[in-house]
């Protein structure tokens, strides 16, 4: 519910009241558009960063899978070549 005395179209007295409370108000629409534009630009940048991050995460997951597979293959080769459980560290 709008505050008492609020007028949807505004009047000179409303404008004077706002001016006395907040100072120069003629520029508020322009400032609001600038702020909205800045926010929109930030949203676009965030979307691009999220997309790049998703790509990096996917690349990292693939690299981890390849490395895990490579380690398993090497471990299998060591075991098939008569390697012991100490993985070449020697007996103590």
């Amino acid at each position: 519910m709008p505050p008492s005395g609020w007028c949807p179209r505004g009047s000179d007295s409303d404008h004077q009241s706002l001016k006395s409370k907040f100072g120069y108000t003629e520029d508020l629409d322009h400032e609001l558009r600038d702020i909205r534009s800045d926010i929109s630009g930030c949203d676009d940048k965030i979307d691009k960063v999220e997309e790049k991050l998703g790509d990096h995460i996917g690349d990292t997951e693939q690299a981890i899978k390849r490395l895990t597979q490579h380690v398993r293959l090497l471990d299998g080769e060591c075991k098939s070549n008569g390697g012991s459980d100490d993985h070449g560290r020697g007996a103590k």
Side-chain angles (χ1 to χ4, degrees):
M1 176 178 265
S4 64
W6 181 80
C7 178
R9 290 196 170 111
S11 66
D12 287 338
S13 64
D14 290 336
H15 185 260
Q16 289 301 322
S17 174
L18 284 173
K19 200 173 192 180
S20 68
K21 289 180 185 177
F22 301 109
Y24 185 71
T25 58
E26 282 82 8
D27 235 9
L28 290 179
D29 284 338
H30 175 70
E31 291 294 324
L32 184 57
R33 279 192 297 275
D34 284 349
I35 291 169
R36 286 180 175 156
S37 175
D38 291 345
I39 290 171
S40 178
C42 289
D43 284 342
D44 292 343
K45 288 179 184 178
I46 289 169
D47 289 343
K48 288 178 184 176
V49 169
E50 285 177 338
E51 185 178 328
K52 285 183 180 181
L53 180 60
D55 292 344
H56 288 303
I57 289 170
D59 293 345
T60 301
E61 289 171 344
Q62 288 297 333
I64 289 171
K65 287 178 184 177
R66 286 192 306 270
L67 288 171
T68 302
Q69 187 177 31
H70 189 68
V71 167
R72 286 181 180 153
L73 288 171
L74 289 173
D75 189 45
E77 283 183 31
C78 287
K79 288 179 181 177
S80 69
N81 289 332
S84 64
D85 286 340
D86 64 9
H87 299 284
R89 288 187 291 256
K92 293 185 179 181

